[in-house]
Amino acid sequence: MKRRALLQLNPISLGLGLSMLCSSQAWAVQMDAMHFGADIKITAQSEEDRDLGTRGGGDANGIALDLRPWLRAQRGDWSAFAMGQAVMASDIIQTDTLESSADQPESGQTDGRTRKKNYLALREFWVDYAGLTDYPGEHLRLGRQRLHNDDGQWRDSNIEALNWRFDTTLLRASLGAAQRFSEYRTDLEELAPEDEDRLHLFGDIAAQWQPGHWLGFRAHHSRDDGALADPNQPIDALDKRANGNLTWLGLHAHSDAYNFRNQKRFNYWASLTSLTGERNSLNSSLDDSVAGGQSSTHLNAWATDLGLRLRLDRNWQIGAAYARGSGGGDADGSGNDNYRQTGLHSNRSTFTGTRSSVQRFGEAFRGELSNLQAATLFGSWQLADDYDASLVYHHFWRVDAHQQIGRSGINARFDDPLADITPAPQVALVDGEKALGQELDLVVTKYFKQGLLPAAMSEAIDEPAALVRFRGGVFKPGDAYGSDTDSLMHRAFIDVIWKF
């Protein structure tokens, strides 16, 4: 496959598609085996003190209109799907919950990665074949697609992939390969350095060993062949800081806890993951525009996520969870025992027992499970298919008080941009202090107009046809952020979604 210059989005073609969609009144119409329509999303965002008051900026306040036209065709066992996107906003607004905290705009970004208020994009385009076996839940799909697992901690991202899925009552499995070649956005001409030349190989299998109880195994291998700069060679923000090969192996068990229609009195989830591999990284340099030497480390880390949820009655549930991503390393802060996630994760899931997905590590903090511990208490409420709400409390602290954490939604000061342990701009934590902070989240949703979409779209769409949702969190930083930071930070959204 040729380089991404041949794969970049043609905004003229997408604009013509949008024009045709508007002329047809953006209504989903069935034409033989073809459906087309649009998702319309309005998002209002209020975000204050992402930098905790340590530098200028760090706020986002505005509203965005996000139009997503889609087309789906099917003939026999073959089907194809494409979805575009046009965003118009008063500020740089995060309309997509799949965007990671590292995708937030920062002053250090270069022209090729500068996010803009208005842009066009291609979200998905794939071809699917369902005729390899007679099972209705078996699919082989090629193209840019959403890879997703229930807890969102391994895969939850739109990416170019070849993915085979097998989903039956008693057995679920998947096997695939993925690599990002382009962002397919008019404002992002370059890939993030960590995505350049990085291949993902993944597979999982899970069996229902008792009714409603699943036990499974997951594997993911990341091979990054991107070249690192030689010592004293000029570099910029788009050059790679690290490469290498990493392997995740994990066991997981749950009681179908991520299914919001699950009416069990007790629900649980548990996972244990090991991470091994070799990672090469650039050393720090006194001049940020010049590469230093290179170092190689062997990673040996692990992570776990445990949760228990109790149903009080038909509408109310309460629960508690604990997650830990290992931390540790040499005295120089190499962090070779710091767990890190796959890079395809979102950490969003329905762990509270409602239809609405919630950020597992805080709507405001948005932590990555790296040198991090999180204790969580939550309560949720659901009224038929009309309303749901979740109230979540988190307490965060470091595993190793001398190592940095992974990416988060807090970007208070720029660390050394060459530091492998801080792959995104973030706060310089106080050495020896473990307490990262506390957070209180609220997610409330009202659903409307069930059943507007064609039945053939039910697999691709995981939301009702219309909804209004508030999702937000207030974060109170702990001692690890120092005494010169602001006492509170908040991030909140109101989403209005209508699917035609």
Side-chain angles (χ1 to χ4, degrees):
M1 186 174 293
K2 295 185 179 181
R3 296 296 298 169
R4 64 175 182 277
L6 298 179
L7 297 166
Q8 288 185 350
L9 174 67
N10 184 341
I12 298 177
S13 299
L14 183 55
L16 290 174
L18 288 170
S19 300
M20 294 175 62
L21 181 63
C22 293
S23 66
S24 65
Q25 298 181 347
W27 192 264
V29 178
Q30 182 173 352
M31 300 174 61
D32 295 328
M34 182 174 293
H35 305 278
F36 63 92
D39 298 356
I40 300 177
K41 184 176 185 179
I42 300 174
T43 298
Q45 179 177 349
S46 173
E47 180 177 332
E48 185 175 353
D49 275 352
R50 186 191 315 130
D51 54 17
L52 300 181
T54 60
R55 67 172 189 264
D59 300 339
N61 295 282
I63 189 169
L65 174 63
D66 187 341
L67 303 178
R68 302 179 184 181
W70 54 262
L71 174 68
R72 182 185 177 104
Q74 185 165 357
R75 183 175 182 178
D77 293 325
W78 292 89
S79 62
F81 177 78
M83 175 180 280
Q85 185 176 23
V87 175
M88 295 155 282
S90 62
D91 198 348
I92 301 179
I93 303 300
Q94 186 186 46
T95 64
D96 189 354
T97 56
L98 295 185
E99 290 184 6
S100 71
S101 57
D103 292 330
Q104 297 302 301
E106 295 295 338
S107 59
Q109 292 178 331
T110 65
D111 291 341
R113 293 288 300 176
T114 300
R115 293 177 178 269
K116 298 179 180 178
K117 301 176 185 178
N118 310 314
Y119 62 89
L120 300 176
L122 281 174
R123 291 182 59 81
E124 294 186 58
F125 48 90
W126 46 257
V127 176
D128 185 287
Y129 180 64
L132 292 179
T133 69
D134 293 331
Y135 290 95
E138 181 266 342
H139 294 268
L140 180 65
R141 182 169 296 176
L142 174 65
R144 182 174 169 86
Q145 57 190 281
R146 182 181 178 185
L147 301 180
H148 174 73
N149 64 292
D150 288 339
D151 61 16
Q153 294 183 27
W154 287 58
R155 300 187 303 275
D156 192 13
S157 180
N158 291 327
I159 188 173
E160 301 92 314
L162 176 63
N163 184 31
W164 174 80
R165 293 184 299 115
F166 187 81
D167 189 350
T168 65
T169 304
L170 299 178
L171 183 66
R172 297 171 183 166
S174 68
L175 184 67
Q179 183 170 344
R180 204 176 301 279
F181 295 99
S182 173
E183 299 285 2
Y184 301 96
R185 286 177 48 156
T186 55
D187 59 337
L188 299 181
E189 300 174 358
E190 301 288 342
L191 287 175
E194 60 269 25
D195 288 329
E196 284 272 12
D197 303 312
R198 187 178 185 187
L199 174 67
H200 299 269
L201 305 174
F202 56 87
D204 57 68
I205 186 169
Q208 190 173 191
W209 62 281
Q210 286 189 5
H213 296 271
W214 292 83
L215 181 64
F217 171 78
R218 296 186 284 203
H220 189 113
H221 179 75
S222 171
R223 188 179 70 191
D224 189 336
D225 294 330
L228 301 181
D230 295 327
N232 300 319
Q233 181 179 340
I235 57 174
D236 59 30
L238 293 178
D239 287 314
K240 270 191 175 292
R241 267 54 177 179
N243 62 16
N245 298 324
L246 302 176
T247 301
W248 292 261
L249 301 174
L251 295 173
H252 64 100
H254 61 83
S255 59
D256 206 17
Y258 300 102
N259 179 2
F260 74 95
R261 299 193 184 280
N262 182 346
Q263 294 295 312
K264 294 189 187 74
R265 180 168 177 79
F266 291 98
N267 279 287
Y268 65 89
W269 69 88
S271 66
L272 180 63
T273 304
S274 70
L275 168 63
T276 58
E278 296 288 339
R279 190 167 177 84
N280 309 308
S281 59
L282 291 180
N283 297 326
S284 300
S285 171
L286 295 178
D287 185 353
D288 294 341
S289 63
V290 177
Q294 298 183 14
S295 61
S296 179
T297 58
H298 177 75
L299 295 179
N300 188 8
W302 63 276
T304 188
D305 186 17
L306 310 171
L308 182 65
R309 192 172 70 238
L310 170 66
R311 179 174 293 279
L312 302 178
D313 58 28
R314 184 177 179 84
N315 304 116
W316 292 92
Q317 300 181 75
I318 58 173
Y322 172 78
R324 178 186 177 107
S326 66
D330 299 333
D332 61 359
S334 63
N336 53 310
D337 290 331
N338 284 12
Y339 181 80
R340 62 186 69 220
Q341 294 184 257
T342 62
L344 301 182
H345 59 281
S346 72
N347 290 332
R348 300 195 71 88
S349 68
T350 54
F351 70 91
T352 64
T354 70
R355 190 198 302 262
S356 299
S357 65
V358 180
Q359 239 292 345
R360 179 63 183 86
F361 305 117
E363 295 288 341
F365 181 66
R366 299 186 181 187
E368 181 181 359
L369 198 56
S370 176
N371 191 31
L372 176 71
Q373 296 181 85
T376 303
L377 298 174
F378 61 88
S380 63
W381 170 77
Q382 184 168 310
L383 181 61
D385 289 329
D386 298 322
Y387 297 91
D388 64 45
S390 298
L391 183 66
V392 186
Y393 168 80
H394 300 279
H395 186 90
F396 305 108
W397 64 101
R398 286 192 283 181
V399 175
D400 188 324
H402 304 288
Q403 302 292 331
Q404 294 293 319
I405 60 173
R407 301 180 175 188
S408 75
I410 307 299
N411 296 305
R413 284 188 296 266
F414 284 108
D415 272 343
D416 182 349
L418 296 183
D420 176 50
I421 54 175
T422 54
Q426 66 175 22
V427 71
L429 299 177
V430 177
D431 189 59
E433 295 287 352
K434 284 191 173 184
L436 292 169
Q438 306 173 65
E439 179 166 333
L440 187 65
D441 292 341
L442 177 65
V443 178
V444 182
T445 308
K446 163 63 179 173
Y447 301 97
F448 303 92
K449 298 287 185 182
Q450 301 283 333
L452 285 181
L453 292 173
M457 289 302 300
S458 60
E459 178 186 332
I461 302 298
D462 59 2
E463 292 280 11
L467 62 87
V468 177
R469 173 175 293 147
F470 171 86
R471 49 187 173 93
V474 177
F475 176 72
K476 179 178 176 59
D479 293 340
Y481 287 99
S483 58
D484 58 342
T485 55
D486 288 349
S487 59
L488 292 175
M489 174 267 179
H490 82 266
R491 180 181 284 117
F493 301 84
I494 297 177
D495 297 320
V496 180
I497 302 174
W498 194 276
K499 299 176 185 291
F500 289 95

